[in-house]
Amino acid sequence: MIKNGTNPYFVKELETGYVVIGDHQHFYGYTLFLYKHHGDKTELFHLDTAERAKFMEEMVLVAQAAAKAFGAEKMNYELLGMGDAHLHWHLFPRRTGDIGNCYNNGRGPVWSIPMEEMYSDDNRPTAEKLEDMKRKLREELEKLM
């Protein structure tokens, strides 16, 4: 969808990946950084040293931009892949109280809230809100590059 210009969540193309806003925003500013190349490179150690370093460097820039654009108190980072065997970072801007009182008095990981709450349709940004989020993130990325 990104290559066809039809992904409404697309923000910016970087050298090693694509920046997109997450389609569910329980954690305001949830952003993904998707590695450009699909195939057999499903682990960080599958990348050669230079590519891995650049991918990590760009992910950190995206995280920094998301933190600034969306007022994060702390950033959470995930590179999982059992559901989708493709290198991609989940970047969650975190704020006090964003998981309510779930897990350790509200001081737990993003996945400590119920999935139906995290992925509720109520957490999808409106078209207007999505455009505003994309603009904010793009502006912060451009300041860092």
Side-chain angles (χ1 to χ4, degrees):
M1 288 177 66
I2 289 172
K3 290 179 182 178
N4 296 333
T6 60
N7 186 327
Y9 300 94
F10 173 72
V11 176
K12 188 171 181 67
E13 180 177 357
L14 303 183
E15 184 178 325
T16 64
Y18 303 106
V19 180
V20 298
I21 295 291
D23 58 356
H24 289 84
Q25 289 292 311
H26 177 84
F27 298 95
Y28 175 65
Y30 166 53
T31 300
L32 294 103
F33 184 51
L34 313 170
Y35 185 62
K36 280 185 180 179
H37 308 290
H38 289 269
D40 61 350
K41 294 182 179 180
T42 59
E43 304 295 339
L44 288 172
F45 58 78
H46 291 159
L47 305 179
D48 67 42
T49 303
E51 181 80 353
R52 181 174 55 243
K54 187 65 177 178
F55 183 53
M56 296 293 289
E57 175 189 347
E58 289 183 336
M59 179 276 296
V60 170
L61 288 175
V62 175
Q64 184 177 358
K68 179 74 172 167
F70 305 118
E73 293 172 22
K74 173 76 176 91
M75 289 297 294
N76 283 184
Y77 307 75
E78 289 186 340
L79 178 70
L80 304 171
M82 286 303 289
D84 185 9
H86 171 255
L87 287 172
H88 61 282
W89 288 97
H90 297 266
L91 305 169
F92 294 93
R94 300 293 307 274
R95 288 161 208 79
T96 302
D98 62 8
I99 62 169
N101 208 21
C102 295
Y103 191 85
N104 195 26
N105 297 315
R107 298 183 55 86
V110 297
W111 40 261
S112 62
I113 65 167
M115 294 295 273
E116 60 273 7
E117 184 178 337
M118 182 184 243
Y119 295 108
S120 166
D121 283 341
D122 293 341
N123 291 327
R124 288 186 181 273
T126 64
E128 182 180 318
K129 185 66 172 174
L130 179 58
E131 289 307 312
D132 182 58
M133 293 175 75
K134 289 167 36 177
R135 178 191 55 77
K136 286 179 180 178
L137 184 53
R138 192 177 301 110
E139 286 175 0
E140 292 303 327
L141 278 166
E142 289 169 3
K143 289 177 188 176
L144 295 171
M145 301 190 85

